[in-house]
Amino acid sequence: MSKTLLSFGHGYSARALTRRLLPLGWTVIGTTRSADKAEALRKEGVEPLIWPGSDVTDALARATHLLISAGPDENGDPVLGQLKDEIASKAPELEWAGYLSTTGVYGDHNGGWVDETAPLTPATKRGQLRVEAEAQWKAIPDLPLHIFRLAGIYGPGRGPFSKVRNGTARRIIKEGQVFSRTHVEDIAQILHASIDKPNPGAAYNVCDDDPAPPQDVIAYAAELLGLPVPEAVAFEDADMSPMARSFYAESKKVSNARVKDELGVKLIYPDYRTGLEALLKAES
């Protein structure tokens, strides 16, 4: 039986998953807000659907799998805001549904470890909106939902190299601060592993093995480029946007043991060093 993925908010991570599915004969329908992006998706082999603005009845009827990447805003989850009843009626027929959330739902743990059993105590409004969205998706009866809590995403076109090259990178120092991160190709393989081994109701942390201070990542990127290590700036003195500053409100190490134990995943890029090395090699 042919498989069809309907992907709401078909962005960076969803496109990486698509590159795995299309060669296997899948059909992928991806929503986007603009005609220009729709044409780009078409060239990648995706059936584009401009949404909001188009009827998704046919796409939902065809879907065997559902992926939600669109994030919530002050008005709540945008997909459920418009399509909750339609998705609820389709839910029993779906084989798998995946919701891309964030490790921000765990809040601040003063640099300590968290796994999927940790309480959801977000320290930011952004994290609180994600907790609420997770609950809304969980509340849909019979939906074979899997929640993926993503750490900071990097990959081709997203990484520290451009800022290091153009001289805008800074090593912002906040004592005890650590972040977890994940390469987009590892997101894709974890989603694919879950599709192959569904476990409705499960939540998975998606991150690498090596939570690290952000200044270490910048320094290693500079080292790989053979450029001077950017200056160190104390967090208290750094000129940062409110959004950038909010990320430093949380410090934690995120465990990925469940994706390894339950899904049998072996990370492609188990730490930022292997990930950055591969990105730089791909550029050359």
Side-chain angles (χ1 to χ4, degrees), residues 55-273:
D55 187 353
V56 300
T57 303
D58 177 66
L60 270 172
R62 294 166 57 196
T64 56
H65 295 69
L66 193 65
L67 180 67
I68 303 95
S69 304
D73 57 24
E74 295 292 341
N75 297 315
D77 185 279
V79 179
L80 292 181
Q82 295 196 35
L83 299 172
K84 182 178 180 180
D85 291 344
E86 291 88 339
I87 290 172
S89 64
K90 169 69 175 178
E93 302 169 29
L94 289 168
E95 296 178 26
W96 179 92
Y99 179 73
L100 302 191
S101 185
T102 169
T103 57
V105 298
Y106 299 119
D108 181 34
H109 286 262
N110 296 310
W113 284 96
V114 296
D115 62 17
E116 292 86 351
T117 66
L120 305 186
T121 54
T124 65
K125 180 63 175 176
R126 216 171 40 254
Q128 181 59 44
L129 290 171
R130 284 291 188 179
V131 171
E132 293 169 3
E134 284 190 15
Q136 290 166 0
W137 280 100
K138 287 178 184 177
I140 296 177
D142 301 320
L143 183 69
L145 183 67
H146 306 71
I147 292 173
F148 301 89
R149 295 174 180 146
L150 277 53
I153 304 169
Y154 73 102
R158 287 194 186 183
F161 291 129
S162 61
K163 287 186 176 181
V164 173
R165 285 187 175 111
N166 65 28
T168 60
R170 295 171 298 166
R171 291 185 303 119
I172 296 171
I173 311 297
K174 184 179 181 184
E175 185 176 355
Q177 185 74 41
V178 289
F179 292 136
S180 291
R181 53 194 55 78
T182 182
H183 193 289
V184 68
E185 293 302 331
D186 279 316
I187 297 173
Q189 75 148 333
I190 288 168
L191 293 175
H192 195 185
S194 173
I195 287 170
D196 286 345
K197 192 178 180 181
N199 180 19
Y204 299 101
N205 291 333
V206 181
C207 57
D208 69 18
D209 297 336
D210 188 21
Q215 65 269 21
D216 290 5
V217 180
I218 295 294
Y220 192 66
E223 179 183 326
L224 289 176
L225 293 170
L227 294 173
V229 173
E231 66 172 330
V233 180
F235 173 73
E236 295 78 9
D237 301 329
D239 182 14
M240 304 168 69
S241 69
M243 172 70 82
R245 189 168 290 275
S246 72
F247 285 106
Y248 283 78
E250 302 174 347
S251 178
K252 56 184 167 287
K253 299 173 183 175
V254 182
S255 169
N256 59 19
R258 181 172 287 177
V259 296
K260 296 176 179 178
D261 296 343
E262 291 189 12
L263 300 179
V265 167
K266 181 179 180 181
L267 295 178
I268 304 167
Y269 303 107
D271 55 62
Y272 70 85
R273 291 171 293 277

